[in-house]
């Protein structure tokens, strides 16, 4: 049973049509990797699923009372905020935030966010999101600027998490270890492939060979 249905969505970005009657569904427990070349609308899709943007046509239907947590590719941080004041600015549990921060190597809770590196700020944003209450976790390039130990911790967290996850990532090895479905965005459409990134890549290669063979036969 789908908990989110993306139904026949279309979306213009300037003069470019990035979605054209695209559809797919997210089931409970799915861990879905969103892939596609730059400009195919991966981040836009996540924002629409998270409710921060709306499609120009079509609809996104969410199960009643569905709770979502969203980590954008470039989180915004309040001016003069400290690690802890930012990480606890929502409904997060104090102990869970601090546990996540420690696991990610952030221990100076009073440090101003604008004094931290991009990787450290990314860790703080991740710790905050993962401490919130959610049924669906939406992550846009979550491994950007993270060190290997933090990536491994995140992989373990996501592998143990029983809910649904939507991930945009250029890290194919990360998607290999986390995703059980891949949604490819291409020419405005969304195509679902079962399996991880390696399974997707293998199926794409077979489709490419079939297309070449059909073209040669036509010629």
């Amino acid at each position: 049973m789908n908990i989110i249905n993306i139904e026949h969505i279309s979306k213009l970005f300037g003069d470019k049509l990035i979605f054209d009657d695209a559809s797919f569904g997210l089931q409970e427990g799915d861990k879905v990797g969103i892939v596609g070349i730059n400009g195919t609308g991966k981040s836009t899709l996540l924002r629409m699923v998270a409710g921060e943007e709306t499609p120009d046509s079509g609809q996104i239907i969410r199960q009643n009372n569905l709770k979502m947590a969203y980590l954008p590719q470039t989180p915004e941080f309040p001016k003069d905020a400290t690690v802890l004041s930012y990480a606890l600015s929502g409904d997060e549990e104090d102990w869970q935030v601090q546990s996540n921060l420690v696991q990610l190597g952030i221990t100076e809770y009073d440090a101003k966010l604008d004094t931290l590196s991009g990787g450290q700020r990314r860790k703080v944003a991740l710790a905050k999101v993962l401490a919130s209450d959610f049924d669906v976790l939406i992550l846009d390039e979550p491994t950007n600027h993270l060190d290997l130990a933090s990536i491994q911790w995140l992989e373990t967290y996501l592998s143990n998490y029983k809910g649904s996850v939507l991930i945009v990532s250029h890290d194919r090895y990360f998607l290999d270890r986390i995703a059980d479905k891949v949604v490819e965005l291409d020419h405005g459409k969304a195509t679902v492939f079962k399996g991880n990134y390696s399974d997707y890549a293998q199926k794409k290669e077979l489709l490419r060979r079939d297309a070449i063979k059909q073209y040669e036969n036509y010629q």
Side-chain angles (χ1 to χ4, degrees):
M1 177 182 174
N2 289 347
I3 57 174
I4 298 177
N5 281 318
I6 292 89
E7 298 184 350
H8 307 290
I9 62 169
S10 296
K11 184 76 173 178
L12 274 170
F13 189 77
D15 295 329
K16 183 178 180 182
L17 184 64
I18 54 174
F19 291 107
D20 181 16
D21 196 33
S23 300
F24 72 94
L26 180 71
Q27 295 185 339
E28 187 173 357
D30 277 352
K31 292 183 171 67
V32 178
I34 309 293
V35 302
I37 63 173
N38 289 341
T40 51
K42 299 185 295 295
S43 293
T44 301
L45 176 63
L46 293 194
R47 288 195 296 271
M48 288 194 291
V49 173
E52 299 204 351
E53 281 193 39
T54 56
D56 296 331
S57 63
Q59 57 185 343
I60 297 177
I61 302 173
R62 303 169 187 85
Q63 189 180 75
N64 288 341
N65 303 316
L66 193 68
K67 292 173 287 190
M68 296 181 291
Y70 170 49
L71 177 71
Q73 190 172 155
T74 53
E76 294 184 1
F77 300 97
K79 184 177 175 58
D80 296 327
T82 65
V83 167
L84 209 54
S85 72
Y86 166 77
L88 290 173
S89 58
D91 61 355
E92 303 81 13
E93 292 281 352
D94 186 287
W95 69 269
Q96 187 65 70
V97 166
Q98 294 194 38
S99 175
N100 291 349
L101 288 169
V102 169
Q103 293 291 337
L104 290 165
I106 303 295
T107 55
E108 296 183 17
Y109 301 152
D110 295 329
K112 292 287 186 69
L113 287 173
D114 56 13
T115 67
L116 302 183
S117 67
Q120 290 172 317
R121 287 196 296 270
R122 186 74 174 173
K123 290 178 180 181
V124 175
L126 185 59
K128 174 181 173 64
V129 166
L130 296 183
S132 60
D133 184 22
F134 53 84
D135 305 304
V136 178
L137 184 58
I138 303 170
L139 303 173
D140 195 349
E141 297 291 355
T143 61
N144 274 8
H145 308 299
L146 292 187
D147 53 76
L148 181 58
S150 297
I151 292 172
Q152 290 173 337
W153 177 81
L154 179 59
E155 286 175 359
T156 300
Y157 178 95
L158 294 176
S159 296
N160 293 330
Y161 174 57
K162 303 303 183 185
S164 304
V165 184
L166 272 178
I167 309 169
V168 167
S169 178
H170 285 95
D171 186 341
R172 63 182 61 187
Y173 304 106
F174 180 74
L175 290 180
D176 251 355
R177 289 185 281 268
I178 300 303
D180 53 32
K181 285 184 184 177
V182 170
V183 174
E184 180 192 55
L185 304 183
D186 185 39
H187 292 91
K189 307 298 183 184
T191 305
V192 179
F193 295 83
K194 290 185 178 180
N196 62 14
Y197 187 91
S198 291
D199 297 324
Y200 154 75
Q202 186 177 28
K203 291 170 187 174
K204 280 292 291 183
E205 177 61 20
L206 291 174
L207 289 172
R208 186 187 71 84
R209 291 178 185 177
D210 285 346
I212 291 173
K213 189 177 292 185
Q214 289 177 23
Y215 175 76
E216 289 173 345
N217 290 340
Y218 174 77
Q219 290 296 97

